[in-house]
Amino acid sequence: MTADDIWGRMFDFANYGELVALVQNSIVAAAVLGIVGGLIGVFVMQRDMAFAVHGISELSFAGAAGALLIGANVVLGSLVGSLIAAVLIGLLGAKARDRNSIIGVLMPFGLGLGILFLALYPGRSANKFGLLTGQIISVDIPQLGLLVTLSVVVLVALLVVWRPLTFDSLDADVAAARGVPSRALSLGFMVLLGLTVAVSVQIIGSLLVLALLVTPAAAALRVSSSPLLVPLLSMLFGFVSAVGGILLALGGSLPISPYITTISFLIYVVCRIVGARKAAGRRASARLPLQAAR
């Protein structure tokens, strides 16, 4: 395959306007997911739970694959798998070491179960592949309604528990001493994370949900430590990655996930460079008074 062939598969904007009209539901779903994923990603980073996102996604994949096999609603199957994983991790993984062990057990089990269901599924291979890497034209009106509803539930719940959850995320011991119900908050957060992962699997696939639930927040934390600016930047980065990925993917024949993950990664690289330069500037400014005193 020549370079021109590769470029043609990645970018071909013939009849682009007609294609955009065909995937309006997916664009709306991606926009909502980018915002919600960016917001909850801030807490994922604060609570050091990036590994948990991947663990939940594997059981979400298994649930979606099982639903595909029996002809049920794929979103609901994904939701059931995510919630089972989230509740198990929340109940059994109070400590980081226990949590990582449980996730390490659940991940291969969920992935193996999902592969088994896909191997038994007699339908089109595109449906199988889409659960792993995402699909552009995969969201109909009922699914869009469910995805938006789940996203709004997560968003509202996060806003309601924002202050105690932030306190618990930054210093769980002090929060517990002050009367914050840390265990209930942890379990509730895991349920919200499970809902978000279930939504993400429908857009970007189960293997790459970290690109929307971790990378935007990680990028935002590189350029700011403001409790207001970090969530806003994370939501913006998630939105740009998700919607930008879909709009670029329309011009090619590749799955949507490489575009979303590439945009998300590039945002992170830029933020890391900007953050490093800001840190270097602060260090240089701090040295000036010392040099003047000498």
Side-chain angles (χ1 to χ4, degrees):
M1 182 177 290
T2 66
D4 289 339
D5 293 332
I6 295 175
W7 183 265
R9 290 197 63 187
M10 292 179 62
F11 303 105
D12 180 9
F13 295 99
N15 303 317
Y16 189 75
E18 298 176 4
L19 293 174
V20 170
L22 290 175
V23 296
Q24 288 181 350
N25 291 342
S26 294
I27 293 174
V28 173
V32 175
L33 171 62
I35 293 172
V36 176
L39 186 62
I40 201 170
V42 175
F43 292 106
V44 170
M45 295 299 297
Q46 289 177 348
R47 301 174 78 87
D48 192 21
M49 298 189 72
F51 192 40
V53 173
H54 199 34
I56 294 173
S57 72
E58 302 295 1
L59 252 69
S60 180
F61 161 64
L68 186 66
L69 176 62
I70 65 176
N73 188 303
V74 175
V75 178
L76 291 178
S78 176
L79 180 60
V80 170
S82 290
L83 290 179
I84 290 174
V87 171
L88 286 175
I89 295 171
L91 290 176
L92 303 178
K95 297 181 179 179
R97 184 172 61 182
D98 294 337
R99 183 171 64 238
N100 289 337
S101 298
I102 293 165
I103 295 168
V105 171
L106 289 177
M107 282 178 58
F109 171 71
L111 186 59
L113 195 62
I115 292 174
L116 171 64
F117 291 153
L118 291 188
L120 296 174
Y121 176 65
R124 295 189 306 125
S125 59
N127 293 334
K128 304 178 184 181
F129 195 56
L131 291 180
L132 293 170
T133 60
Q135 299 183 70
I136 299 178
I137 306 176
S138 61
V139 183
D140 55 23
I141 294 296
Q143 284 183 327
L144 177 63
L146 181 57
L147 295 178
V148 171
T149 300
L150 292 175
S151 298
V152 170
V153 168
V154 172
L155 183 62
V156 172
L158 284 176
L159 294 177
V160 169
V161 300
W162 186 272
R163 295 191 64 177
L165 185 58
T166 300
F167 192 11
D168 183 67
S169 300
L170 297 177
D171 197 331
D173 293 334
V174 175
R178 294 286 185 87
V180 175
S182 296
R183 187 167 180 81
L185 272 177
S186 178
L187 182 58
F189 174 74
M190 290 304 301
V191 170
L192 295 178
L193 184 59
L195 293 175
T196 308
V197 170
V199 175
S200 305
V201 167
Q202 306 309 310
I203 302 298
I204 194 173
S206 62
L207 296 181
L208 301 168
V209 295
L210 295 175
L212 289 182
L213 270 66
V214 173
T215 309
L221 287 167
R222 282 289 172 179
V223 295
S224 177
S225 58
S226 166
L228 177 61
L229 189 57
V230 168
L232 291 177
L233 285 176
S234 183
M235 288 189 290
L236 175 63
F237 295 158
F239 176 88
V240 171
S241 299
V243 176
I246 285 185
L247 293 179
L248 284 178
L250 289 177
S253 58
L254 300 179
I256 184 176
S257 49
Y259 298 94
I260 293 179
T261 54
T262 299
I263 294 174
S264 186
F265 176 73
L266 290 177
I267 290 174
Y268 175 79
V269 170
V270 171
C271 289
R272 190 177 180 93
I273 293 172
V274 171
R277 290 185 175 180
K278 288 175 64 176
R282 287 194 296 267
R283 288 194 296 268
S285 299
R287 285 196 297 266
L288 289 177
L290 296 176
Q291 293 172 354
R294 293 175 183 173

